[in-house]
Amino acid sequence: MDIEKIKKMGEEDVIEALLGQTEVPTKTVVIPRLGIPIKLKALTGKQISKIRKDNTHSEKMKGSKLEKDVFDDENFNAEIIEKATVSPNWNNPKLKDALKVSNGKEVIKRRLLAGEMDNLIEQIFDLSGYNDEAEEIDEIKNS
């Protein structure tokens, strides 16, 4: 990151940077237990929101006509991993047939341990900018 260049950016420079071509960040991580690389990509806020919505459903509360929203955390995590994975293809027919499952989310839930899934989720959210902190220019300069 070129601090001097950033400090000298005017409004037009910022607009041009926002309009320019941007690549989706990717990263390859290894699952040591399985000895396999997994290439991940960032997800947009819209994609994550849709996955969150798809994994939330209403359930009637016992002894009441009221409903509450229930969030399926395991399915959410598996779907985030599935959508953010560039390779391998979790929906590969060979994998699904061998594990006797119908989709990539089920492959992920069957093959990855909870901690491995959590690590991948953390990596995906990092790539997606969730753990980035906007820094003031003076703070960047002092690093």
Side-chain angles (χ1 to χ4, degrees):
M1 187 180 312
D2 185 352
I3 305 308
E4 289 307 312
K5 184 179 175 186
I6 292 171
K7 287 173 84 171
K8 292 177 183 174
M9 287 180 89
E11 180 76 12
E12 281 303 310
D13 298 321
V14 172
I15 299 299
E16 286 303 312
L18 290 170
L19 292 174
Q21 191 97 7
T22 57
E23 285 188 32
V24 175
T26 61
K27 179 181 193 175
T28 300
V29 296
V30 175
I31 303 291
R33 178 181 65 88
L34 299 173
I36 61 168
I38 298 179
K39 186 173 182 180
L40 302 171
K41 66 179 180 182
L43 297 176
T44 65
K46 188 174 184 176
Q47 289 171 307
I48 293 171
S49 291
K50 182 184 180 326
I51 295 168
R52 181 173 280 113
K53 183 179 177 188
D54 291 347
N55 288 285
T56 304
H57 64 278
S58 294
E59 239 178 46
K60 286 194 182 229
M61 295 171 61
K62 272 190 172 173
S64 172
K65 292 182 181 181
L66 299 175
E67 290 186 349
K68 65 178 179 178
D69 284 340
V70 177
F71 181 67
D72 186 340
D73 194 46
E74 182 185 32
N75 223 36
F76 171 79
N77 287 345
E79 191 168 345
I80 288 284
I81 292 167
E82 179 185 38
K83 299 289 190 221
T85 300
V86 175
S87 69
N89 175 6
W90 297 109
N91 283 294
N92 183 302
K94 209 182 231 185
L95 279 172
K96 292 190 304 186
D97 291 346
L99 296 171
K100 297 178 179 23
V101 296
S102 60
N103 60 53
K105 289 188 296 187
E106 294 303 317
V107 171
I108 292 164
K109 290 192 278 188
R110 291 242 182 122
R111 296 304 297 154
L112 300 180
L113 299 175
E116 293 165 341
M117 287 178 68
D118 282 347
N119 181 41
L120 291 176
I121 291 294
E122 186 176 322
Q123 300 293 329
I124 293 162
F125 283 168
D126 283 350
L127 282 171
S128 302
Y130 277 89
N131 294 327
D132 285 352
E133 292 184 21
E135 297 183 52
E136 290 185 34
I137 289 178
D138 290 335
E139 288 178 12
I140 293 171
K141 189 172 73 175
N142 294 329
S143 326

